[in-house]
Amino acid sequence: MAQRAMWLISHEPGTLLRGTVRFSRRYPTVEKRAKVFNGATYMPIPEDDPFLKALLFELRLLDDDKDFVESRDSCSHINKTSIYGLPVGGEELWPVVAFQKNGMIYACVPLVEQTLSPRPPLISISGISQGFELLFGIQDFLYSGQKNDTELNTKLSQLPDLLLQACPFGTLLDANLQNSLDSINFASVTHPQKQPAWKAGTYKGKPQVSISITEKVKSMQYDKRDVADTWQVDGAVTCKCDLEGIMPNVTISLSLPTNGSPLQDILVHPCVTSLDSAILTSSSIDAMDDSAFSGPYKFPFTPPLESFNLCYYTSQVPVPPILGFYQMKEEEVQLKIAVNLKLHESVKNNFEFCEAHIPFYNRGPITHVEYKVSFGQLEVFREKSLLIWIIGQKFPKSMEIGLSGTVTFGAKGHEKQPFDQICIGGTAYLKLHFRILDYTLTGCYADQHSVQVFASGKPKISTNRKLISSDYYIWNSKAPAPGWVSTTIPCLSDV
Amino acid sequence: MLRWHPTCHNYKDLTKSIQLSTGGIWGEKAKKKKKSPGSGTGWPQVFGGEASVSRSVLGVRAMSPVIRRALPVRTSAARCFPASSRLVLAPPASPRPAGLRDACRPAAGPKAKGPACLTMGPPSREAWAQRLSAFRASPSAFMAGPEGEDLGRDLLSDLRSEKLNEQTKVSLLALSLEYPAQLWPDAPAAEAAASSLLDTLVLLPPRPSALRKPLLLAATTALVAGGALGPTSGASLRLLPLLLGLASGRDLGRGFGPASEQRPLQATACECLRELESCQPGLLGGCLGLLRGLLGQEGAVGPVQPLSLLLALALRNTLVIQARAGAGLQGLLVAGSSGTGGSPWTWTLAEEGAAHLQPQAPSWLAAEEGECGLAALEPNPEEARELRAAVAQLLDTSYLLAPVAQAQLLWLLGWALRGLRGQLPVLFKTQLVRLLGTAQLTLLHAVLALKAAFGEALFTAQDEDLLLRRLTAAAQHPAVPPPAHLFYLHCLLHFPENCPLGPTGEEAAPLLLGPQLCRGLLPSLLHDPMALLARLHLLCLLCAEDEEKEEKGQGQSPQLYLEDLLAGLRQRAALDGAPRALATLCFQASYLVAHCLAGQPTVMTALTHGLVQLYRDRPVLAPHFVDLLDQVGPELGEPLRVALQQEVVARPGKDEALRWHLQMLAKVADGDAQSGTLSFLQAAAAHCKDWGLQQALLQVCRALLRAGVRGGLADLLQALAWQLEDPDGRDHARLYYVLLAHLATPKLQVALGPSLVAPALASSLVAENQGFVAALMVQEAPAPIQLSVGPRRAEGPIPVLQLQVEVLEPVYSLELRFRVEGQLYAPLGAVHVPCLCPARPARPLLLPLQPRRPAPTRLDVRALYTTLTGLTCHAHLPPLPVTFADLFLPFPQPPEGTELGFFEELWDSCLPKGTESRLWCPLGPEGLEALVSRHLEPFVMVAQPPSSYHIAIRLPPDSRLLLRLEAAQADGVPVALRTDDWAVLPLAGDYLRGLSAAA
């Protein structure tokens, strides 16, 4: 399992080449093996320029899709994974692992230890998951805490040294590049005990443990009799353990109140040493009932130096925090809209912020708005064809607020107004953005007293939690809802 | 002379010997410049080199700058070897004359970096930065340029320059790590480069340096990439003990930096060894015991991860090689100090291993083919115990490894032990619960690899179910990045089941992946295209399974969900101004459904209707429809074609989308519903104002011509030939009309079919011309015909060649044309054959010859024929020889009893016009009788076997050749010959002399 080469490419629409290779690295010893393993099907790694062109074409980033191009648009040219075959110089380079994130394209070519024709299934190529992990690692490194281009450039310039550490010969040794950076900086001497590779050194200082639980709530609400609303909560528990010693042991327990919603689909950090089978098997696939395991969820682990995500989970809470409807109707030249939002009584009525964004797609700029709000205020962004209803920190005592009005649009320009492939005709949505501190929807919390630390000194333990909205949509109930084209999830006959 | 030996274990001595064993670059240059009698490897030569360095340095200091410029080689050599470090590292026992050492000293001091070095100094940091970026922009262009040749050499020498800072040197090394094949393209160059890098390494001053690690990596890379690694390579034999020494954590002396650097270097050395082992499997087979010892050490220990990975790889490779060789483990695993009994690395194993660095059987399917794995090894109980201990040792400390490294370890061990039952697979069990809990892609992938390797031996049905559930959860978990979701979906469809039902290698939903599990994996319009297609595929597979069950009637079937989804996709694609990607996605989804559910008529019907509706809404998608029709099978393709044809011809034929309708019609039009099509075209013709539209219209006519439509089309073409505005359009219409009127349908189909010579181009005009060229003109082609001369006939009034014909493919209307060079023969007529097939042997063809002179010749042969596809082809065949003997004809047989008289009469009549000759015709072992019967039988006039024959040969047009073969002896026969034609004599001589050889 190894990588033959890797690239970082910034996607620059509007420029001549539509992109620039910001970083590339080749591994000639792996290439040597590829030549032997692939035999007659071997295709050498191309130089940066031809690779860039082929990749941008394949990813449809050359913005020239005016005409039908068979090699790209043919119906049988189907990609179901982020792994591509790139036509370069009349031959095909495969497999190329590539994805785009934040305007940067990450790509690598894993070694396949056999002939490439017929193509072996991806699952049998160990270098594929390694390639992904390498690219995810680089992405995390580049964008963790990065705020501007200067920082990005600094981090890019550190990459050659970091990869010398983390991937010297094309075989990835650690996807956590921050850890590699730390280990360059730690001039460690001898260690009396076996040191984990994922921990570059040891912490010296005041012991402390901080645990933070962040829950995101998603929702799709339709206000329709025949379409079921959906909502889902997913949480992440982030820890930073500043503890002395090479292998301090910590156990963190997550608890739920009596009416809390069980945690499901729990994925843990690899530093967790053991896992209760109830945690492993609690799954959102199963029907919910009272017998579901509801904690406490114990996670024994040996922490790495840096801040890390101890676990992720999902949950099915009985009600969405805010239930609402959005009605939009086209009446001659104007749109008539009505919005109603209701905060559930069980939810903490103390927001850091709460806003409803009401965008209008595939139309011209807003020319005129008449409206009435029962609470908060409305901001109009004419050119963006967007209304923002600023609700503020609290819902009123009734817990229910409303907005109604009419919106008129100008002629549709071609460039400026937002296009959307889903919001066609009456299909429209409003999206809620909110954040509540010191609150989780599941009720999940980390009790300070239940945190066990087996290390010298009594650590200071701090916890915090928050709920934030993410993809919280309320669809226009006066038009067909997208995505959920059908009433409910089909009941497939039992196989 | 102190020379390092492979079994040398005093590493302090080793270090010294390494640095002094060769002169590196300078040594090479010294060798080339002057071959002193004592210059082998080792001391005398090195001293020669160093002495001259010292002298030149001293010399340069005294010279004027002008002269200094003229001495680039020497100064660069002086630059390469900072004399100070050499002096520090030189062994005290050096046999170097004291006086010379003293002479060096002043030059070695800081003063040596005087103006000389500045003038001739190495390229500055900036210069290197420019050079490196120019190289990286396009390595091939740079290497082809003027600077390319020197790059590798300059890089090596400047690594020792004191002018460059470490950062620049690291960037130089980084380049050598990536492009060794460009810098040092062949094995000798790579070997020299690795030597030079090792020299640079040992010459580093003992303070902390960022160069040690990249130097080790670079030397390893150069050796491997250059193909120089091997038992006869000096650099390999220096690098390996150095790496092993570092990896073992032994003290290599001050030369290898301060103590703080030892641990990182130990890890680096392990990585280098691992790379060497990867490229030369089996190399470290002899180090297994040592590595196990290092990993198991208590107290101050080495880094766990590099050692674990190295041990796992070496173990895997050794097991594979030994199993293939049918050998046991031979105590390789038992810890023991390495190399007390010899060299720790095993070139012999590695050579066997190198043979195994071949495309391997896919490790994935290996569970069934146990003979490749350890199962063939059949370790004895002692070996099995050691093996178990080694695997347990690796697994026990595996949690100390970074997750990606853990995954590698599991792949390696799973690969090595695959197919094995019993206690060994169970060792992995303890790791599984921990691994299944994580979200790490590599770890779950490694668990799947273990699943494939061990199957039921490691995973019960319940475990399999749990694994599937975790995989299903991971494939949709919000905390997992989308590319990983897609990979997990792929893994689900290729899940290595304990009891697979379907054929291996095909995508299928695993048996345990019930509808309940799939609920969260259904596609929706809100997914991005790749996720949608991946989930749609899963849905299709479920629909296919669902179809096999009885209809339940209750609730919504997956088919309905599928149809709703497709309807949504079509709705989006139909949106005016939607990006092409949306249309592409819609057609990809339709293709996928048609591919998976072709056997379900209800789905196909709904899909057909939906697509026709989409065309109605957005004819601009015509190219996608054409593509879809090209790709799908008849289950969707045929009804869709018919429906689209009806849809198009029902249009008034004058809307904006006419161009697309015509493109569509060119694809779907055929002999059915011709009246509708023709009236649509008639209506459309009036609106085809520009050239493009007219061409599109003519394309449809062309398609109809090919489909065999004749009646109404002739009228339409005639009308178009008058009506179209563009002369090109009119010409084409007229041409089509002429073709229609004059060619039979099959020929027409070929004429208008896609060109067989070149792939069809997008331009109708070019495609058309190529079609005509192919069909209506004669094509030059390599002949599928073989022609040879058969047995001679020797009868009748004129000579006739019997030709044997063989064909490689069916050939029709074959005409063979022959031409004789010069005027020797009268022109030959052509030979016609109606039909020739490869399977049916053809009767011989007769070719009458009309020589004007009795002389041999060569016939130039050309073939003109028609192929199965209707093309007329022309081929040049190899020339056919006509020999002298081919022209022989017998005289009419005289009445019985008068033969001798007749012969004598002929004999006498030759003179005086002709000539007489005598010659010796050698005979083979068979004797005269056999010779005559084989070659001259038809021409014998008087015979007295076995010793006397009178032979009379008529040579057209009017010559004769008479032979008397009498009194034959064992080895030959004297021949008296007469002819009435002088010119025949040499030919007859050659012929007779050649007879015995032919016999």
Side-chain angles (χ1 to χ4, degrees), chain B residues 51 204 247 275 277 323 399 520 756 848:
Chain B
L204 285 177
E275 199 59 15
E277 170 72 23
Y399 73 98
L756 301 172

Side-chain angles (χ1 to χ4, degrees), chain A residues 242-262:
Chain A
D242 297 328
L243 298 168
E244 293 193 341
I246 288 183
M247 296 278 279
N249 281 316
V250 182
T251 300
I252 287 178
S253 299
L254 300 180
S255 310
L256 294 174
T258 43
N259 58 350
S261 309

Side-chain angles (χ1 to χ4, degrees), chain A residues 285-321:
Chain A
I285 293 156
D286 300 321
M288 287 285 294
D289 57 32
D290 293 342
S291 66
F293 178 69
S294 61
Y297 303 85
K298 279 184 191 291
F299 300 101
F301 61 95
T302 308
L305 281 180
E306 70 279 357
S307 168
F308 67 102
N309 287 311
L310 176 66
C311 74
Y312 301 99
Y313 60 83
T314 67
S315 183
Q316 300 170 48
V317 292
V319 288

